[in-house]
Amino acid sequence: MEYTRFAFAIVLTIIVINIKAQNQKPNIILILADDIGYKSLTCYGGNLNSTPNIDKLAKQGMRFTRCNSSPLCSPSRFMLLTGKYNFRNYSDWGAMDLNQKTIGNMMKDVGYKTGCYGKWQLGSRQSINIFGFDNYCVYLDSTHDFLNYSRYKSPHIVSNGKYLADSKTLNKYGEDIFTDSVLNFIESHQSTPFFVYYPMVLGHEPFCPTPDDPAFLDWNSNPDNSDTAFHTSMIKYMDKKIGQIMNKIKSLGIEDKTIVIFAGDNGTPRTIFDYTGNDGNLIKGGKGTTTAAGTRVPLIVTWRNTIVPGTVNKDLIDFTDFLPTVAGIANIPVPTDYGPLDGVSFYPRLTNQPGTPRDWIFCHYDRTGPNGAPLVRWAQTVSYKLYDTSSLKKVRLFYNIVKDSREKNPISDSLLTANEKKVKQQLLDVINNYVAQGIPIISSNPSILFINDSSLKLKDTIKANGGSTVTASGAVWGTKPNPKISSSNHTSTETLQGPFSTIITGLTPNTTYYIRAYATNFAGTVYSNQVKFTTLDVPVATKATGIDSNKFIANWKAYAGATNYRLDVSTSPTFTRITTPTITEGFDSGIIAPEGWTISSNIKAATSVFGVSAPALKFTASKQRITTALLSGPAIQLKFWIKGMGTDDTSSLLVEGFDGNSWKVIANLTKLARKGVIKTFNASSNPQLSQDFIQFRFTYTRNAGALIFDDVSIKYNKPVPLFVPGYRNLLVQTNSKIVTGLQAGTNYYYRVRAVKEGITTDNSNVIGVITKKAASIIATAKLYAAEIVTNSDTVNLAKRQFAVQVFPNPSPGEFMLTLQTGNKENVNITVTDTRGKILYRSSGNGNCTFTFGKTFAPGEYFISVTCGKLNRYIKVIKMR
């Protein structure tokens, strides 16, 4: 009886275990090989590498023939893990925005145990946990690791928050450590559903020997040490590691409940040959290129007793499809709180269900990073591919990628068949749809480069979705938190992508502001985090003292923390005078832009109208534009010649002005005459020209035939600095300064700016000073002094007369000084400049005359006359 109970208990336990096994969600292992192109593997027709274990995966499962990635690894990983095209999430090379959600987050939230092993390249180690992976062992925690440490021999590896000790990595092989971590994780979690993300480091450069190569023992692990001869053995070793994982799954008896997905992240490097073509020539890899050689990658999925062995699937797949596919495999809903997702699940196709195969795929390829280059977008079907207009190419290129896989021969519109026209329009609709959705991505943390009492400089970066999608960018600020363009002051930089800086002026001193960068496109405006700051206070200039006919003392209050001051003196209260220059551009050089001007590259020179010697510019298509250089002062008149050449009068030219913050419409010229006319805008024109424009642009907004444009003339008020010689930005270390060399009876003005921590303030109050009228030609001075004479019992006072006369003063030549005293005492005379340097010295007895100064430079001089204990000081001026 006891035996029967025991046997029943065993049977019941087996039944419970089987029921749990049947109900348990499948384990998922996602393997991403690094730099493994479509033709690198023998199961895809490659003939230069040996990959028996990967070939076995293909025989046991489903092999996809049209899976497409990004041309480079970092943007591919962004797409794969988030299910989003890069215009939604790509912020910087190897550093994904921590607000993003990944497959790791999705799987962890539904109870999966999650692990990540291999090449991370999505940010710091802290981001690994944030993106949903509980356990990890990775290379490439930072760019510093990438540049300075090995991923192969004696690797630099972070495991669960700490770098592995050298004793654990010395002469070890990185891929061995990662594979062992995967095997340990699988064994530890075999009884619970798990998700493993295994982005292998093989076979990325540097190309170096594996532990199966004799050269491994003596190989220098410096990351700059590379030899392409080892690439084949690296592929072979990668295949070996995948074989070990499959053997572990089999040995644990979990093959039926474990699905393995293997893919490459982009094409093979261009220094490596993928395979030998039919003509016997070696075919290079295409990593970094947007052709199939750079983006078509292997994708193999195996799941015993679920996927029919040896199946070949020709559906279009892109890397955004992995997230919804993994959700389908795990039988969980695709998250609805991750923001817009772009992927289409191919899970039904794994079980031979109809599903919803793609008609097209899209790629937004942001190449910022180690191979920095402008943005490229495209959409493609199985047979055709259309590139979006980019900053490099102004004409959309359309290819038949079946007949022209290397994309050497774009098809012109004139040669398109009716079907090709239809396909091209469909792909253009795809591109335009995504362009319209793509809210720009801007760096979240702008930086202030400098700040003073009335201005600052802000720096930030538009990191994605540039090119044609960004319509405005700059900085917005105000005294209330979270300023918006609609209600606050803002600048405009017109930066479409990449770093930019902008200067904000006109701020109020000693005021707290909030500022943030922004970027705008058709989908809306995105703002960076705001920066709170307080402007510096202004220094205070005080009333002048010591005013004379040719000098005064400028004074100001001490400024807290200032190390120096800068003093300006002028005869103008604005410290400038205004001139009115005119810029005239007749485009005599055709479409060659003048310095500082920009002209759309497809604008033509209208030499057929005016002759080669005097061409004009010819607008031929909508959105063509001419932008002038920045002026150094506000324009007071804009004039240009214009002529419509179309068959009707519906063409239009948008004329705009930039006031330092934003572009504003001056006029939208329509019904353009076929007879040339001159358009003039100034204070008396209709419409009037605003008096604060410092730049202009002209945009052809409606195409109804050609438009001829010529003879731009811009008058503007240019402020020219006006300062007293030697007193512009004069560095002073005290709170006052004697200002000399002035004209008598003249109005002067001074201001002071403080220098604090290397930053100079912009403003202070302005003090007006009027110098005294000119001194008389003859300067006479008399001095009576008491000299005490002492004897044994009486004190007598003796008076002595001492008179000095200088003529002429001021003098254009020599000075003559005469003295008169009451006796024959010795007289000494010394003449110095304002720095105390002695220029003349002489002496005499009683009444005498001294002549000096003929060789003196124009300026001020001081005469000291001594007679006994009596002394007299006189200032003289040498005129020009």
Side-chain angles (χ1 to χ4, degrees):
M1 183 70 176
E2 291 298 325
Y3 175 80
T4 303
R5 287 180 185 156
F6 179 71
F8 177 76
I10 292 175
V11 172
L12 181 62
T13 301
I14 293 173
I15 292 172
V16 170
I17 291 173
N18 287 336
I19 291 173
K20 286 184 176 180
Q22 291 172 4
N23 293 332
Q24 179 179 317
K25 294 182 181 298
N27 307 312
I28 303 171
I29 302 174
L30 174 55
I31 302 173
L32 189 67
D34 202 350
D35 290 358
I36 303 300
Y38 180 77
K39 290 288 188 178
S40 293
L41 311 176
T42 53
C43 57
Y44 280 96
N47 51 18
L48 299 180
N49 300 310
S50 174
T51 55
N53 290 301
I54 299 175
D55 296 345
K56 187 177 179 180
L57 289 184
K59 291 177 182 178
Q60 293 174 342
M62 181 176 290
R63 178 170 62 89
F64 290 81
T65 62
R66 290 192 174 94
C67 179
N68 289 264
S69 66
S70 168
L72 287 178
C73 45
S74 189
S76 288
R77 284 162 167 73
F78 278 53
M79 282 200 295
L80 181 143
L81 287 177
T82 66
K84 300 178 181 181
Y85 291 125
N86 287 150
F87 70 83
R88 302 193 195 279
N89 61 16
Y90 192 85
S91 55
D92 201 356
W93 182 267
M96 193 159 68
D97 185 348
L98 297 181
N99 293 319
Q100 294 292 327
K101 297 291 186 179
T102 73
I103 298 177
N105 298 117
M106 180 179 72
M107 302 307 286
K108 180 178 179 179
D109 289 347
V110 296
Y112 271 72
K113 298 298 182 182
T114 58
C116 174
Y117 309 98
K119 174 182 167 182
W120 177 235
Q121 203 177 47
L122 290 172
S124 67
R125 71 197 74 170
Q126 290 80 10
S127 67
I128 306 176
N129 292 142
I130 292 172
F131 290 139
F133 296 101
D134 297 315
N135 191 282
Y136 64 87
C137 180
V138 301
Y139 167 77
L140 207 57
D141 175 47
S142 67
T143 303
H144 179 71
D145 289 356
F146 175 77
L147 296 175
N148 296 282
Y149 296 104
S150 170
R151 69 191 75 189
Y152 295 122
K153 184 179 179 181
S154 303
H156 203 57
I157 291 176
V158 176
S159 179
N160 295 321
K162 296 181 180 180
Y163 281 102
L164 295 182
D166 290 345
S167 60
K168 294 184 178 181
T169 61
L170 183 64
N171 293 323
K172 299 295 192 300
Y173 194 63
E175 203 70 82
D176 287 340
I177 295 174
F178 299 136
T179 305
D180 288 346
S181 298
V182 172
L183 299 177
N184 291 335
F185 182 87
I186 292 172
E187 186 161 0
S188 299
H189 298 94
Q190 59 182 299
S191 60
T192 58
F194 60 79
F195 171 66
V196 173
Y197 173 49
Y198 180 20
M200 305 181 78
V201 293
L202 286 168
H204 196 287
E205 61 180 337
F207 306 116
C208 51
T210 72
D212 289 347
D213 294 308
F216 181 80
L217 183 64
D218 297 323
W219 185 261
N220 184 338
S221 62
N222 187 310
D224 292 330
N225 195 17
S226 181
D227 186 341
T228 56
F230 292 108
H231 184 261
T232 298
S233 63
M234 292 170 70
I235 300 301
K236 184 177 180 180
Y237 203 81
M238 175 192 72
D239 184 80
K240 175 181 177 180
K241 296 287 102 179
I242 291 172
Q244 290 175 357
I245 292 173
M246 299 308 296
N247 289 337
K248 170 62 74 172
I249 295 170
K250 183 176 182 179
S251 68
L252 294 175
I254 58 175
E255 285 181 289
D256 288 352
K257 61 179 181 181
T258 303
I259 184 168
V260 177
I261 305 171
F262 171 85
D265 67 344
N266 50 246
T268 309
R270 281 172 276 179
T271 55
I272 298 297
F273 294 100
D274 265 334
Y275 73 110
T276 302
N278 295 330
D279 56 3
N281 291 323
L282 291 174
I283 309 299
K284 283 187 176 183
K287 175 180 177 178
T289 69
T290 60
T291 65
T295 63
R296 195 173 179 184
V297 294
L299 170 60
I300 300 170
V301 185
T302 182
W303 190 359
R304 198 178 75 165
N305 291 331
T306 299
I307 296 176
V308 175
T311 307
V312 176
N313 185 293
K314 297 181 180 181
D315 292 347
L316 277 171
I317 306 290
D318 74 22
F319 267 33
T320 64
D321 297 339
F322 283 78
L323 184 145
T325 300
V326 170
I329 294 169
N331 193 25
I332 60 175
V334 176
T336 58
D337 57 350
Y338 284 13
L341 299 177
D342 300 296
V344 176
S345 174
F346 56 84
Y347 167 64
R349 306 294 284 164
L350 299 176
T351 55
N352 289 325
Q353 301 300 312
T356 54
R358 286 176 170 272
D359 293 324
W360 49 263
I361 59 173
F362 172 78
C363 189
H364 172 108
Y365 175 36
D366 187 339
R367 290 186 283 181
T368 55
N371 299 313
L375 168 73
V376 180
R377 297 188 193 89
W378 68 87
Q380 69 183 72
T381 65
V382 169
S383 302
Y384 292 97
K385 186 173 185 178
L386 177 67
Y387 285 92
D388 183 22
T389 301
S390 73
S391 57
L392 287 180
K393 298 177 180 177
K394 301 301 182 183
V395 177
R396 288 185 171 91
L397 301 178
F398 185 59
Y399 296 94
N400 183 324
I401 53 177
V402 174
K403 297 179 180 179
D404 183 19
S405 63
R406 299 185 188 182
E407 300 175 12
K408 299 292 186 181
N409 303 297
I411 309 171
S412 66
D413 287 348
S414 62
L415 297 177
L416 294 179
T417 66
N419 180 63
E420 287 173 336
K421 290 179 180 178
K422 182 180 178 180
V423 172
K424 183 176 181 180
Q425 184 59 51
Q426 290 172 340
L427 293 178
L428 181 59
D429 290 343
V430 171
I431 291 170
N432 288 338
N433 177 57
Y434 279 119
V435 167
Q437 292 182 45
I439 295 177
I441 294 177
I442 196 167
S443 168
S444 58
N445 296 308
S447 58
I448 294 179
L449 300 184
F450 75 81
I451 180 173
N452 58 30
D453 57 306
S454 65
S455 62
L456 66 82
K457 187 173 185 179
L458 188 80
K459 180 182 179 181
D460 210 335
T461 303
I462 298 175
K463 297 205 169 185
N465 221 21
S468 59
T469 63
V470 174
T471 57
S473 60
V476 57
W477 69 94
T479 55
K480 296 181 180 179
N482 301 313
K484 294 184 177 180
I485 294 176
S486 59
S487 58
S488 305
N489 293 318
H490 60 278
T491 62
S492 175
T493 66
E494 290 201 304
T495 301
L496 301 181
Q497 185 177 11
F500 69 91
S501 61
T502 183
I503 296 177
I504 290 88
T505 60
L507 302 176
T508 302
N510 197 26
T511 302
T512 298
Y513 288 93
Y514 300 85
I515 188 169
R516 53 185 180 171
Y518 72 89
T520 300
N521 72 348
F522 307 109
T525 298
V526 63
Y527 297 95
S528 71
N529 293 338
Q530 66 180 0
V531 179
K532 182 180 179 182
F533 66 91
T534 301
T535 49
L536 301 179
D537 207 350
V538 295
V540 177
T542 57
K543 186 177 180 179
T545 57
I547 303 172
D548 204 337
S549 61
N550 47 36
K551 68 172 175 50
F552 64 80
I553 301 174
N555 303 293
W556 54 91
K557 292 182 180 179
Y559 188 96
T563 54
N564 293 289
Y565 301 91
R566 295 194 177 277
L567 176 66
D568 296 328
V569 183
S570 177
T571 55
S572 165
T574 63
F575 300 86
T576 59
R577 60 184 177 88
I578 302 298
T579 62
T580 307
T582 300
I583 293 177
T584 301
E585 177 51 54
F587 302 109
D588 294 338
S589 299
I591 61 173
I592 298 175
E595 184 177 357
W597 293 49
T598 58
I599 298 177
S600 296
S601 60
N602 48 2
I603 288 179
K604 299 179 180 179
T607 54
S608 60
V609 177
F610 298 98
V612 177
S613 61
L617 294 188
K618 185 177 182 180
F619 296 95
T620 57
S622 297
K623 297 184 180 179
Q624 291 179 347
R625 175 178 289 174
I626 296 172
T627 305
T628 71
L630 281 170
L631 305 171
S632 56
I636 58 175
Q637 179 175 285
L638 170 66
K639 185 167 62 173
F640 54 88
W641 183 91
I642 189 170
K643 179 180 180 180
M645 300 290 288
T647 57
D648 56 40
D649 57 4
T650 59
S651 296
S652 61
L653 182 72
L654 182 65
V655 183
E656 297 172 284
F658 181 64
D659 62 5
N661 286 328
S662 60
W663 289 95
K664 297 177 181 178
V665 175
I666 299 172
N668 190 16
L669 303 178
T670 59
K671 298 183 179 180
L672 302 173
R674 295 183 185 88
K675 181 179 179 181
V677 294
I678 295 175
K679 294 290 184 179
T680 302
F681 301 93
N682 52 36
S684 59
S685 65
N686 185 19
Q688 288 185 335
L689 181 69
S690 172
Q691 298 299 293
D692 53 5
F693 290 140
I694 57 174
Q695 191 175 20
F696 298 99
R697 68 183 182 189
F698 312 90
T699 308
Y700 194 29
T701 56
R702 190 187 307 155
N703 178 13
L707 177 65
I708 309 301
F709 180 82
D710 203 2
D711 294 334
V712 179
S713 175
I714 305 171
K715 279 187 178 180
Y716 63 101
N717 285 333
K718 179 180 180 181
V720 178
L722 183 63
F723 295 91
V724 172
Y727 294 97
R728 178 183 182 182
N729 215 25
L730 180 67
L731 192 64
V732 182
Q733 295 178 328
T734 60
N735 287 50
S736 64
K737 175 65 178 176
I738 298 177
V739 181
T740 60
L742 308 179
Q743 298 294 322
T746 304
N747 289 322
Y748 290 94
Y749 302 88
Y750 69 86
R751 66 187 178 193
V752 65
R753 294 173 296 131
V755 182
K756 181 179 181 181
E757 297 178 354
I759 301 297
T760 302
T761 58
D762 280 341
N763 303 288
S764 79
N765 56 319
V766 177
I767 299 295
V769 185
I770 303 177
T771 52
K772 292 183 178 180
K773 293 182 178 180
S776 60
I777 297 299
I778 300 176
T780 303
K782 291 184 179 181
L783 177 64
Y784 294 92
E787 181 179 6
I788 299 176
V789 180
T790 305
N791 55 25
S792 59
D793 54 4
T794 61
V795 176
N796 297 315
L797 296 179
K799 290 185 178 181
R800 207 177 296 159
Q801 181 175 321
F802 179 69
V804 181
Q805 176 178 295
V806 178
F807 177 85
N809 185 22
S811 170
E814 295 180 317
F815 298 95
M816 182 178 291
L817 184 146
T818 60
L819 296 102
Q820 294 180 344
T821 64
N823 53 39
K824 299 291 186 180
E825 284 189 298
N826 187 58
V827 176
N828 295 301
I829 175 173
T830 303
V831 183
T832 62
D833 61 15
T834 55
R835 297 183 180 181
K837 181 179 180 180
I838 298 175
L839 302 177
Y840 177 81
R841 179 179 285 169
S842 187
S843 61
N845 293 320
N847 300 328
C848 55
T849 300
F850 302 92
T851 301
F852 57 89
K854 184 176 182 179
T855 60
F856 287 7
E860 296 180 347
Y861 300 91
F862 298 93
I863 307 171
S864 171
V865 182
T866 303
C867 181
K869 293 183 178 181
L870 302 180
N871 186 265
R872 174 66 175 166
Y873 289 95
I874 300 174
K875 183 175 75 173
V876 295
I877 298 174
K878 178 67 176 289
M879 297 172 59
R880 293 184 183 278

